[in-house]
């Protein structure tokens, strides 16, 4: 408590908290898109529970990692090297690098599999009454846990790099996860109601997977460029949705 009270009156601490929350929300969007796409493949009655469980697990993982900061810092320490540097790639790897590479490859595999399934659905897949492919609940939760772990490590290492104050990190993580909980259902419903957005979201996951792999190999792509491209894509898709809705409304009025 004695360490927290000075932070409450420190403008720099508040500025760090606001900045960190903004960064964590941006990083959390990637996590939320993945959870939304996976949960939408479940029967409708299980979707909300799966999303809330996935986000709750993300919170638990982040808080658990914050409680082991001394161990977490060692994740960035080099553990082995493969012949130095090649073609601009840093071939010295830490545990963080290996986790990012594994997580990126998992995202690439999962997004590619989902895109293939969307374009060429298997007749054997079990469909619900709305024609949505129904997936095993346990399989979805396991996949959410795996990707939560990757995004949690990336999120906490970002927090560690922005502030030295543990209370600020904890508050930022809790607020971010609360925002994710509030945004989860609207985002998942929007993705489910707009099929073209599913493909856009899967494209984002492919890009995020490539970024994680590149980061693991020491190629650091500025996040600002990535999120600017994502925002532009979302803007274009929003215009497409408005155009389709206007056309549908016009055709409906003409029919009457």
């Amino acid at each position: 408590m004695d360490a927290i009270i000075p932070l409450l009156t420190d403008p720099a601490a508040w500025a760090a908290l606001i900045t960190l929350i903004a960064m964590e929300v941006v990083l959390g969007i990637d996590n939320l898109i993945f959870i939304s796409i996976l949960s939408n493949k479940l029967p409708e009655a299980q979707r909300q529970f799966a999303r809330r469980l996935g986000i709750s697990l993300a919170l638990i993982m982040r808080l658990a990692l914050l409680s082991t900061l001394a161990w977490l810092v060692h994740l960035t320490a080099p553990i082995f090297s493969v012949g130095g540097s090649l073609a601009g790639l840093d071939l010295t790897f830490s545990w963080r690098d290996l986790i990012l590479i594994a997580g990126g490859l998992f995202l690439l595999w999962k997004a590619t599999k989902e895109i293939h399934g969307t374009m060429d659905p298997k007749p054997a897949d079990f469909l619900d009454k709305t024609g949505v492919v129904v997936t095993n609940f346990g399989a979805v939760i396991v996949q959410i846990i795996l990707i939560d772990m990757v995004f949690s490590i990336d999120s906490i290492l970002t927090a560690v790099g922005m502030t030295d104050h543990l209370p600020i990190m904890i508050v930022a993580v809790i607020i971010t996860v609360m925002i994710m909980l509030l945004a989860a259902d609207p985002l998942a419903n929007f993705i489910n109601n707009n099929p073209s957005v599913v493909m856009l979201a899967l494209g984002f996951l492919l890009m995020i997977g490539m970024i994680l792999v590149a980061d693991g190999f020491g190629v650091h792509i500025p996040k600002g460029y990535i999120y600017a491209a994502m925002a532009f894509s979302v803007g274009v898709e929003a215009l497409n949705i408005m155009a389709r809705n206007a056309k549908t409304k016009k055709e409906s009025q003409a029919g009457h």
Side-chain angles (χ1 to χ4, degrees):
M1 182 63 71
D2 293 338
I4 296 175
I5 292 175
L7 293 176
L8 296 176
T9 57
D10 185 359
W14 283 99
L17 176 62
I18 293 169
T19 304
L20 188 52
I21 290 172
M23 285 293 298
E24 293 292 325
V25 167
V26 171
L27 291 172
I29 290 172
D30 306 336
N31 204 167
L32 201 52
I33 289 173
F34 185 84
I35 292 173
S36 298
I37 289 176
L38 282 180
S39 64
N40 282 345
K41 295 173 72 65
L42 291 168
E44 191 168 353
Q46 296 180 345
R47 292 175 189 173
Q48 187 180 69
F49 177 67
R51 287 192 288 268
R52 291 182 177 177
L53 179 59
I55 294 170
S56 299
L57 289 171
L59 174 60
I60 292 170
M61 287 186 189
R62 283 162 167 77
L63 292 178
L65 287 171
L66 281 173
S67 69
T68 57
L69 275 182
W71 169 80
L72 191 65
V73 170
H74 289 300
L75 286 180
T76 59
I79 54 174
F80 70 91
S81 179
V82 182
S85 178
L86 177 65
L89 297 180
D90 181 7
L91 298 182
T92 300
F93 298 96
S94 64
W95 282 114
R96 172 186 177 273
D97 296 330
L98 296 179
I99 291 170
L100 289 181
I101 292 170
L105 291 175
F106 174 71
L107 268 185
L108 288 171
W109 168 78
K110 185 61 184 174
T112 302
K113 187 169 179 283
E114 292 293 328
I115 290 172
H116 183 267
T118 301
M119 299 181 69
D120 184 24
K122 297 177 182 178
D125 284 336
F126 177 70
L127 305 178
D128 67 5
K129 293 178 181 178
T130 62
V132 176
V133 177
V134 177
T135 305
N136 179 272
F137 183 84
V140 168
I141 295 302
V142 168
Q143 292 177 66
I144 288 175
I145 289 172
L146 289 173
I147 209 62
D148 272 350
M149 182 173 64
V150 175
F151 282 122
S152 293
I153 290 174
D154 197 25
S155 168
I156 297 306
L157 286 175
T158 298
V160 170
M162 292 186 65
T163 180
D164 296 326
H165 301 294
L166 184 60
I168 291 178
M169 296 182 208
I170 292 173
V171 171
V173 164
I174 292 174
I175 292 175
T176 300
V177 173
M178 293 302 107
I179 293 172
M180 288 172 65
L181 276 172
L182 291 173
D185 289 343
L187 177 62
N189 292 335
F190 180 74
I191 289 175
N192 191 48
N193 295 331
N194 295 275
S196 61
V197 175
V198 175
M199 197 60 72
L200 181 65
L202 290 172
F204 287 163
L205 290 180
L206 277 176
M207 181 171 65
I208 295 162
M210 286 296 297
I211 292 166
L212 291 176
V213 172
D215 200 358
F217 278 99
V219 180
H220 304 294
I221 303 170
K223 295 285 177 66
Y225 294 144
I226 304 304
Y227 292 115
M230 290 173 68
F232 179 78
S233 301
V234 169
V236 171
E237 184 58 30
L239 291 175
N240 283 330
I241 291 171
M242 286 189 287
R244 285 196 298 270
N245 290 342
K247 183 179 179 181
T248 303
K249 186 177 179 181
K250 195 171 183 180
E251 289 174 350
S252 177
Q253 290 174 346
H256 291 295

